[in-house]
């Protein structure tokens, strides 16, 4: 049961007068330590990357440290002044705390003390935030999640100035700021604090870290083991449930990046204060795996794959800096140093100086992104992500196959979807989230209504839609119960492949998709083969889309273009957001169709086996969008009606366009024809090239092979 506020207050006041509760209860005791501070002082001037990061922080804080303290009454949603001011305050306090520890200049400590005193005056009087765009409302911020982020950073600042403050000053700050804030996070939002979700992770991290700083054992134990301390929730259970055995975070790469900071930072605090828990050894070193898996879930430029509710983020984000530095300090895996060098900064703590020192000593080794199957689900049995790669980092082809579990509320209804990267760019895109993060005019920086109505719907992805409805009817509670099954994975020199089956997304419909990446002789870039089988006992409409990034160059599809008036593709489940720009007639002749588009300086062709009743559509996002919330990007869609269908396509990169030198090379596909044969469970794809070669790809008994004649 929840404890009363009175009992909570008495517990905390008792903690003020108790002896030290943790072996490492000296200050600083979170990301910085006394030994770490001493080492940083010895190494200053010898480690360029740390010196650069420290110098940037000092320059920033020295400009504002003597300015008036600004702690405004909360008013704005994300991106508004008060929201951004409170974010700046916790970041500035954190950096000032580090500077105080390293330079000993009391102006930094005084800045933090004055700031905390202002918050201590205001926080006990605050109602819930006036902006109501979230069920999880905060007080300082429109969303309670941000309150927890504030506490994670401010706990580190308080840790750095703890010994500078008098006992009376600490009592005032703790009683009037941290006690009510912890009550708000851990008691008033009891459900979120005990939730297995990234919101819960930030909550327990903030409460646990301020617990270590203040010596409050009750706060720490609730953070580790849940409010009832029964180990059914809390930080350790979050590690158990939110990560697969391969270190994949169930909400996808974007939220894996975001959640990594509280997981790693709180783990570092646990390690310093309770080393007997061996937190970095926990669950077969799962936190180390989580960092490595995050780095695999990105393209060569560090851009995370846009799966689920995702926006543009890279491994240069501060969350990944924390992950790389702290895990390097634990494992001394020199391949992580290559990422740290690209990031161009380190954290201002014990781990940061170790990374910078290792880089200065030239210990860095290449970090290898690879073809990999990453399992999903706490037990690794809820599908996964297959990433096929060929080529080096300067010009890598990467294909991402998403056959994961739903991914909770941030998941999309996109079973067996793909995205394709090449030439440093996203070529076949996953739309990601419909949101303008922290841009206040766009729904207060929150997710837009179109995120649910468009971005999460199956039609918004490069996968199959049955009868113009989304997977599981678009119902989260049903989707959470099911996941695809990975049926094959192969990583060879000349062929890479992944297969999966989904039987629950649509009642009575079985979907199988196999993706292969090959590079036969005569092709300058790898080919991607996409074989999508769908089987049902009853007739359905099947739509398979490819959201291509670029400008259509040519096609042999005979279509009718809607140049003066457009209609929407459908009326619901995301179809209402697509304009039909052109469509083919039914029963097109010919064994194949192709379409070619230009992205940057390279051409791409999709050559598809033409079944007799296929129809083809060229669509564009943007219908029913009066507020212009969506990106107006094109798609190529194949439609088939019947009980069974097989969609076979070859995706080919070719040629070059050079506008500076005004030349074009090979703007046409080198593929003459594609044919497909299915013998029971065995499949064979024949690709005939224009230079008279035949590439035969076989899929038999779960094995993949390629021959060229």
């Amino acid at each position: 049961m929840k404890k009363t506020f009175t009992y909570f207050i008495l517990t905390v006041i008792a903690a003020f007068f108790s002896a030290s509760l943790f072996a490492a209860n000296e200050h600083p005791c979170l990301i910085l330590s006394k030994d770490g501070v001493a080492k940083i002082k010895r190494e200053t001037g010898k480690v360029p990357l740390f010196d650069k990061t420290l110098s940037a922080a000092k320059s920033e804080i020295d400009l504002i440290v003597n300015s008036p303290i600004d702690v405004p009454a909360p008013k704005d949603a994300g991106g508004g002044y008060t929201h951004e001011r409170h974010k700046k305050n916790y970041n500035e306090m954190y950096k000032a705390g580090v500077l105080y520890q390293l330079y000993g200049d009391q102006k930094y400590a005084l800045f933090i003390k004055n700031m905390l005193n202002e918050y201590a005056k205001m926080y006990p009087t605050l109602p819930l935030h006036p902006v109501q765009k979230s069920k999880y409302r905060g007080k300082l911020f429109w969303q309670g999640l941000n309150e927890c982020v504030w506490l994670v950073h401010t706990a580190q600042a308080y840790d750095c100035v703890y010994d500078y403050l008098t006992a009376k000053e600490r009592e005032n700050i703790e009683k009037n700021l941290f006690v009510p804030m912890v009550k708000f996070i851990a008691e008033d939002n009891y459900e979120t604090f005990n939730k297995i979700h990234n919101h819960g992770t930030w909550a327990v991290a903030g409460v646990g870290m301020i617990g270590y700083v203040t010596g409050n054992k009750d706060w720490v134990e609730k953070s580790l083991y849940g409010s009832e301390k029964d180990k059914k929730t809390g930080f350790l259970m979050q590690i158990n449930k939110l990560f697969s055995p391969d270190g994949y975070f169930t909400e996808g790469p974007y939220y894996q990046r975001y959640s990594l900071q509280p997981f790693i930072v709180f783990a570092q605090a646990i390690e310093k204060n309770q080393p007997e828990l061996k937190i970095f050894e926990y669950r077969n070193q799962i936190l180390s795996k989580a960092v490595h898996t995050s780095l695999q879930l990105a393209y060569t430029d560090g851009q995370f794959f846009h799966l689920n509710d995702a926006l543009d983020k890279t491994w240069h984000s501060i969350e990944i800096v924390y992950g790389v530095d702290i895990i390097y300090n634990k494992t001394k895996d020199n391949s992580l140093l290559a990422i740290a060098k690209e990031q161009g900064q380190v954290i201002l703590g014990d781990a940061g100086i170790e990374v910078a020192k290792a880089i200065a000593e030239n210990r860095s080794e290449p970090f290898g992104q690879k073809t990999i199957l990453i399992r999903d689900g706490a037990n690794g049995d809820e599908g996964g992500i297959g990433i096929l790669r060929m080529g080096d980092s300067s010009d890598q082809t990467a294909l991402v196959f998403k056959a994961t579990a739903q991914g909770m509320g941030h998941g999309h209804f996109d079973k067996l979807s793909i995205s394709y990267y090449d030439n440093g760019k996203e070529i076949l895109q996953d739309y990601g989230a419909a949101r303008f993060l922290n841009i206040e005019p766009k729904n207060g920086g929150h997710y837009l209504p179109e995120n649910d109505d468009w971005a999460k719907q199956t039609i918004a992805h490069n996968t199959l839609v049955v009868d113009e409805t989304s997977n599981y009817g678009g119902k989260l509670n049903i989707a959470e119960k099911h996941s695809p099954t990975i049926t094959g994975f192969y990583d060879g020199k000349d062929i890479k492949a992944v297969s999966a089956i989904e039987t629950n997304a649509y009642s009575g419909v079985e979907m199988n998709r196999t993706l292969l990446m090959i590079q036969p002789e005569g092709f300058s870039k790898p080919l991607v083969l996409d074989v999508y089988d769908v089987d049902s006992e009853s007739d359905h409409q099947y739509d398979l889309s490819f959201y291509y990034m670029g400008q259509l160059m040519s096609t042999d599809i005979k279509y009718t273009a809607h140049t003066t008036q457009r209609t929407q593709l459908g009326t619901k489940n995301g179809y209402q957001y697509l304009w039909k720009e052109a469509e083919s007639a039914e029963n097109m002749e010919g064994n194949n169709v192709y379409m070619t588009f230009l992205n940057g300086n390279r051409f791409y062709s999709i050559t598809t086996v033409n079944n007799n009743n296929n129809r083809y559509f060229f669509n564009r996002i943007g219908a029913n969008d009066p507020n212009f919330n969506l990106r107006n990007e094109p798609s190529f869609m194949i439609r088939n009606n019947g009980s069974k269908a097989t969609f076979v396509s070859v995706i080919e990169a070719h040629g070059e366009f050079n506008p500076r030198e005004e030349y074009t090379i090979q703007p046409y596909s080198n593929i003459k024809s594609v044919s497909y044969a299915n013998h029971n469970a065995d499949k064979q794809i024949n690709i005939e090239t224009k230079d008279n070669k035949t590439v035969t790809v076989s899929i038999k008994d779960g094995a993949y092979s390629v021959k060229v004649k």
Side-chain angles (χ1 to χ4, degrees):
M1 296 177 59
K2 299 180 186 179
K3 296 180 179 178
T4 65
F5 181 56
T6 301
Y7 181 74
F8 189 83
I9 290 291
L10 291 174
T11 301
V12 175
I13 292 174
F16 291 162
F17 302 101
S18 67
S20 175
L21 296 170
F22 302 104
N25 198 30
E26 60 180 12
H27 301 280
C29 66
L30 298 177
I31 304 304
L32 271 174
S33 67
K34 282 185 176 289
D35 289 343
V37 170
K39 183 168 187 176
I40 291 169
K41 289 179 178 179
R42 290 195 304 270
E43 298 291 343
T44 299
K46 305 174 187 176
V47 282
L49 189 54
F50 193 95
D51 293 341
K52 172 188 171 185
T53 308
L54 181 60
S55 177
K58 190 173 187 303
S59 296
E60 175 190 348
I61 301 305
D62 282 350
L63 284 175
I64 56 92
V65 72
N66 294 316
S67 302
I69 299 298
D70 186 7
V71 178
K75 181 180 70 172
D76 303 311
Y81 175 76
T82 62
H83 179 92
E84 294 304 312
R85 183 67 259 170
H86 292 301
K87 282 173 59 180
K88 285 180 179 291
N89 284 349
Y90 71 64
N91 274 308
E92 290 169 358
M93 283 193 288
Y94 159 69
K95 291 174 183 176
V98 173
L99 294 173
Y100 172 67
Q101 284 292 324
L102 298 183
Y103 293 100
D105 191 329
Q106 292 191 6
K107 69 180 181 182
Y108 301 120
L110 182 61
F111 172 78
I112 296 169
K113 183 181 81 169
N114 290 340
M115 184 84 75
L116 291 176
N117 281 335
E118 290 301 312
Y119 276 107
K121 290 178 187 176
M122 180 176 72
Y123 199 83
T125 69
L126 287 179
L128 288 177
H129 196 280
V131 174
Q132 300 183 38
K133 289 186 177 294
S134 171
K135 293 180 181 178
Y136 181 27
R137 288 166 67 189
K139 291 187 174 184
L140 288 174
F141 299 93
W142 68 277
Q143 187 175 208
L145 170 63
N146 300 89
E147 213 100 340
C148 303
V149 177
W150 189 94
L151 185 55
V152 166
H153 288 81
T154 304
Q156 295 174 69
Y158 189 58
D159 181 36
C160 288
V161 299
Y162 189 91
D163 292 332
Y164 165 82
L165 299 168
T166 66
K168 186 174 181 179
E169 289 169 337
R170 291 196 297 266
E171 181 179 356
N172 172 60
I173 292 168
E174 291 175 21
K175 185 172 68 173
N176 292 298
L177 175 57
F178 294 131
V179 167
M181 182 172 281
V182 168
K183 177 185 178 296
F184 176 72
I185 292 171
E187 290 201 352
D188 297 354
N189 289 282
Y190 177 94
E191 182 179 347
T192 299
F193 186 78
N194 291 281
K195 193 173 185 178
I196 308 300
H197 186 272
N198 79 76
H199 288 190
T201 306
W202 279 101
V204 299
V207 171
M209 289 170 69
I210 198 63
Y212 282 130
V213 177
T214 59
N216 190 311
K217 187 176 181 180
D218 181 58
W219 290 354
V220 172
E221 289 183 342
K222 286 180 175 178
S223 294
L224 290 173
Y225 307 120
S227 290
E228 312 308 323
K229 303 181 186 179
D230 56 9
K231 301 185 180 180
K232 293 181 180 179
T233 62
F235 187 67
L236 296 183
M237 187 54 68
Q238 289 177 354
I239 293 177
N240 289 340
K241 296 294 187 181
L242 290 174
F243 290 105
S244 79
D246 294 332
Y248 177 73
F249 187 74
T250 188
E251 293 182 273
Y254 181 85
Y255 277 93
Q256 175 145 351
R257 172 226 31 111
Y258 182 64
S259 301
L260 203 59
Q261 185 172 351
F263 273 111
I264 293 294
V265 170
F266 189 29
Q268 181 68 86
I270 294 168
E271 177 81 358
K272 287 188 182 298
N273 291 276
Q274 293 181 273
E276 69 277 8
L277 293 181
K278 297 183 178 179
I279 192 65
F280 288 105
E281 303 299 317
Y282 189 74
R283 206 181 158 207
N284 196 22
Q285 300 181 341
I286 194 66
L287 293 178
S288 176
K289 290 180 180 179
V291 170
H292 281 269
T293 294
S294 292
L295 300 175
Q296 293 292 343
L297 290 166
Y299 191 45
T300 54
D301 60 352
Q303 182 81 225
F304 289 110
F305 300 136
H306 296 148
L307 307 182
N308 292 340
D309 281 347
L311 301 169
D312 287 341
K313 287 287 185 179
T314 74
W315 60 32
H316 301 87
S317 299
I318 190 62
E319 300 93 342
I320 305 299
V321 176
Y322 274 100
V324 166
D325 289 5
I326 289 173
I327 294 303
Y328 173 80
N329 195 31
K330 295 301 300 180
T331 66
K332 298 301 186 286
D333 180 347
N334 289 332
S335 70
L336 293 174
L337 299 176
I339 304 298
K341 287 174 68 175
E342 282 196 30
Q343 290 169 334
Q345 62 175 319
V346 292
I347 61 173
L348 297 173
D350 296 15
I353 193 65
E354 291 296 333
V355 168
K357 189 171 185 292
I359 290 173
E361 294 170 353
N362 296 315
R363 296 187 214 163
S364 178
E365 297 173 2
F367 181 85
Q369 288 186 311
K370 56 190 177 182
T371 292
I372 188 172
L373 177 65
I374 302 170
R375 293 174 293 170
D376 193 8
N379 297 316
D381 57 359
E382 297 178 38
I385 289 180
I387 305 171
L388 311 182
R389 302 182 194 262
M390 281 188 176
D392 60 27
S393 59
S394 64
D395 188 9
Q396 184 188 89
T397 300
L399 185 74
V400 184
F401 183 37
K402 183 171 181 276
T404 65
Q406 180 65 19
M408 298 193 291
H410 287 298
H412 288 191
F413 299 98
D414 59 345
K415 299 307 176 190
L416 309 190
S417 67
I418 66 170
S419 48
Y420 170 62
Y421 293 75
D422 184 65
N423 199 26
K425 299 178 176 66
E426 189 175 22
I427 308 302
L428 296 180
Q429 66 143 333
D430 187 302
Y431 191 91
R435 181 185 189 183
F436 293 86
L437 181 63
N438 280 350
I439 298 180
E440 200 279 333
K442 287 292 190 180
N443 198 33
H446 191 47
Y447 288 100
L448 295 160
E450 291 82 3
N451 195 60
D452 288 332
D453 298 341
W454 159 254
K456 288 187 176 185
Q457 301 299 319
T458 308
I459 188 58
H461 301 86
N462 301 313
T463 192
L464 191 80
V465 182
V466 179
D467 297 333
E468 300 189 17
T469 61
S470 287
N471 299 161
Y472 313 109
K475 304 296 184 182
L476 178 61
N477 61 334
I478 300 174
E480 284 284 287
K481 299 175 183 178
H482 304 288
S483 58
T485 300
I486 302 294
T487 56
F489 177 75
Y490 182 72
D491 180 17
K493 180 180 179 182
D494 300 320
I495 185 168
K496 303 174 188 296
V498 61
S499 304
I501 184 172
E502 167 60 56
T503 59
N504 295 295
Y506 299 101
S507 178
V509 178
E510 178 178 291
M511 303 187 297
N512 287 270
R513 194 171 201 175
T514 293
L515 296 154
L516 306 100
M517 186 179 290
I518 63 174
Q519 189 165 1
E521 183 181 350
F523 286 86
S524 60
K525 292 289 295 176
L527 298 178
V528 170
L529 279 66
D530 179 11
V531 182
Y532 207 139
D533 289 309
V534 58
D535 190 356
S536 176
E537 293 184 356
S538 56
D539 286 349
H540 297 281
Q541 175 183 294
Y542 301 123
D543 292 338
L544 177 62
S545 293
F546 296 95
Y547 286 86
Y548 64 95
M549 306 289 282
Q551 182 72 36
L552 183 66
M553 293 288 105
S554 62
T555 180
D556 63 352
I557 297 172
K558 296 179 181 179
Y559 60 79
T560 299
H562 304 301
T563 57
T564 59
Q565 188 173 8
R566 295 175 180 173
T567 58
Q568 62 200 46
L569 186 64
T571 60
K572 58 184 178 179
N573 302 322
Y575 277 72
Q576 71 272 29
Y577 291 104
L578 285 169
W579 289 120
K580 283 192 295 184
E581 294 194 319
E583 57 188 306
S584 74
E586 296 182 9
N587 302 317
M588 277 188 53
E589 296 181 355
N591 295 324
N592 299 136
V593 300
Y594 83 90
M595 57 87 69
T596 297
F597 59 97
L598 177 66
N599 182 305
N601 66 342
R602 187 168 289 170
F603 298 93
Y604 298 88
S605 291
I606 301 175
T607 303
T608 296
V609 175
N610 179 39
N611 296 324
N612 289 335
N613 62 347
N614 278 5
R615 290 190 68 193
Y616 303 93
F617 294 80
F618 292 94
N619 304 315
R620 189 172 298 273
I621 304 165
N624 287 299
D625 184 23
N627 296 317
F628 303 99
N629 286 337
L630 297 176
R631 306 190 303 265
N632 303 132
E633 293 160 345
S635 77
F636 168 59
M637 191 183 83
I638 310 166
R639 173 170 288 175
N640 188 283
N641 288 277
S643 60
K644 299 181 180 181
T646 298
F647 300 85
V648 179
S649 300
V650 178
I651 304 167
E652 173 194 9
H654 57 91
E656 181 186 356
F657 169 61
N658 189 318
R660 179 178 296 177
E661 300 297 329
E662 298 185 2
Y663 68 77
T664 300
I665 299 173
Q666 197 188 342
Y668 296 102
S669 167
N670 188 38
I671 294 175
K672 184 177 180 181
S673 68
V674 179
S675 61
Y676 169 80
N678 191 357
H679 304 287
N680 297 322
D682 302 337
K683 299 176 174 64
Q684 182 173 298
I685 303 102
N686 292 309
I687 303 169
E688 186 179 352
T689 70
K690 292 178 180 177
D691 52 359
N692 299 317
K693 291 187 177 68
T694 300
V695 181
T696 301
V697 179
S698 298
I699 306 169
K700 184 176 182 180
D701 298 328
Y704 313 91
S705 64
V706 59
K707 295 180 180 179
V708 181
K709 293 183 180 180

